[in-house]
Amino acid sequence: MRLSVCLLLVTLAICCYQANAVVCPALFSEILGFLFIDEPAFKLQLAKFNAPPEAVAAKLEVKKCIDQMSLEKRGPLEVALLKIVEKCNK
């Protein structure tokens, strides 16, 4: 549960920062992918950001924890993220 709260807070901070109130579609896609797609597909999604290998490895390690959550527990995270994006894109 703690990880999901941290993810929502970081997303809220990134998405709703006053200097840039519009959510980047690539970021939103990456966050939803982090929650719902399998690891090989997520690696491909991360490749477009040209992140250092250490950063990708760290992200995939956290993804392994998220993948252990049931889909029922990930669903409310998606709903909250969608509400954040709606609010920030107004």
Side-chain angles (χ1 to χ4, degrees), residues 12-80:
L12 181 60
I14 291 171
C15 294
C16 293
Y17 184 68
Q18 290 179 1
N20 184 10
V22 178
V23 177
C24 172
L27 173 66
F28 185 66
S29 173
E30 187 270 334
I31 292 170
L32 286 180
F34 182 74
L35 290 173
F36 294 107
I37 63 176
D38 61 354
E39 189 174 319
F42 188 66
K43 280 183 186 178
L44 291 174
Q45 188 178 36
L46 286 178
K48 66 183 168 191
F49 295 109
N50 295 323
E54 303 84 23
V56 173
K59 185 87 170 186
L60 292 174
E61 180 129 354
V62 176
K63 176 145 178 57
K64 288 178 186 175
C65 295
I66 293 291
D67 288 345
Q68 292 176 4
M69 292 173 61
S70 68
L71 287 176
E72 292 85 24
K73 290 184 179 179
R74 288 186 245 174
L77 291 175
E78 179 186 21
V79 171

